[in-house]
Amino acid sequence: MQQNLPRGSSSGNLTERANRVMVRGNTRSTVFVPPHPPYAAKGEGCYVTDAAGHKVIDANNNYTALIHGHSDPDIGDAVRQQLTSGTAFGLPTEVEVQLAELLAQRTGYERWRFSNSGTEAVMTAIRAARAATGRDIVLRFEGSYHGTSDPVVAQSAAGITAGNRQDVIALPQGDWDAFDEAMAQHGRNIAAVLIDLMPNRAGLQPASHKFVRHVREVTQQLGVLLIVDEVITLRIALGGLTEEYSITPDLVTVGKIIGGGFPVGAVGGPERILKVFDPLGSRSVGWGGTFSANPISMIAGKVALEKFDATRIEALNAKGEHLKRLLEKAGVCVAGRGSLVRITEQLPADDLWWSAYERGLLIGTNGLIALSTPMNNEHISEIARISIAAVKHLKPSAAHVPQGVIN
Ligand SMILES: Cc1ncc(COP(=O)(O)O)c(C=O)c1O
């Protein structure tokens, strides 16, 4: 593996071409790192090689989506077979039914509706909640990321209208008083409370069980629907992180791992709510999507989930907990749970990202590490070693490497 690659030198000659046709040379804000990001050329198992030939362990996994890493042979075989039968139809397909059955079985939510991203899943859930309750307001928690639709981004963001701001309440997560006050004042006009039980961008700290139970109780009393966003956290347990909270949300949004590496999102919930989309219902909510539930995403997701049963989930979570302990022992500040770990050192995010990348590790631009099933114990040790070295390089006092920790 190359070491000490100069920052920004790993993009081959693509940056210049890319900048001519895209603002800052790419399409996703989430993958931009200044001065410009490297371009991926090839992924294999838990490795990615960039356009300049620099090979790194991929602990980003397309922001947690690639639960089996790159080029998984079983997903590849199923997708290749599906390619020969067609990639998209103006009709539903059996494989969409199969993925919905699988999700229902794993999570307990009876009805499913697919989309092409987590963003759209959250949009769908919000529309369903508004249609089912006849109310407008969505209450969400600051710092949590739920995609890019208007109701879920910071209401001070450029491009958000005053009209939209009227229909959104954003509160600090865990702020019991603020929540009670908002519910007392606006509860009867609130369609849904949207919560992520371990918000990555807000620090990847699990929400307090007491607070979540309180939210569930109050929402139930006021006829407000509770939407739990499990787009990232579904990987933590068969039924998602909600399983650990002993609550039943009204709707759940998922995405990422359920597409096996292809675009996907889904909302799950009971018939009593999702019937708002019944095309034969009165005042039915129309919701299309040319590529929603396309059979490529569906078959890839089905195979990915089948290969990620309770035993494998537990094994991957154990690897994550081991990694967390290694980092903690070395004095690196971390957060997270199971196969999701985040370096929470107070360091400029870009510096940390490059420091890890140059040393052979791809992480999220906020220090997120998402493990994948091709990773073995040696990969975990290597991820720990590089993370510690990356942090130590930027903040020599923060991390030390005690004897015998890495193994
Ligand atoms: C919790 C959560 N919800 C929603 C989304 C949006 O998903 P997508 O990027 O597929 O639109 C994300 C993306 O990272 C997420 O982490």
Side-chain angles (χ1 to χ4, degrees), residues 281-334:
S282 61
R283 293 202 75 229
S284 163
V285 176
W287 196 286
T290 303
F291 290 100
S292 291
N294 75 78
I296 299 291
S297 297
M298 299 293 101
I299 191 72
K302 175 178 169 287
V303 175
L305 290 186
E306 282 168 349
K307 284 181 61 152
F308 197 52
D309 58 13
T311 311
R312 288 179 183 118
I313 291 175
E314 218 171 284
L316 198 61
N317 282 341
K319 287 198 176 94
E321 295 299 336
H322 178 56
L323 172 64
K324 216 170 132 200
R325 277 194 302 277
L326 292 177
L327 295 174
E328 276 165 353
K329 269 197 200 162
V332 175
C333 297
V334 282

Side-chain angles (χ1 to χ4, degrees), residues 117-119 122 145-147 196 229 231-232 256 264:
S117 65
T119 294
V122 172
Y145 181 69
H146 300 285
D196 180 339
D229 185 350
V231 166
I232 279 193
K256 309 258 189 191
V264 84

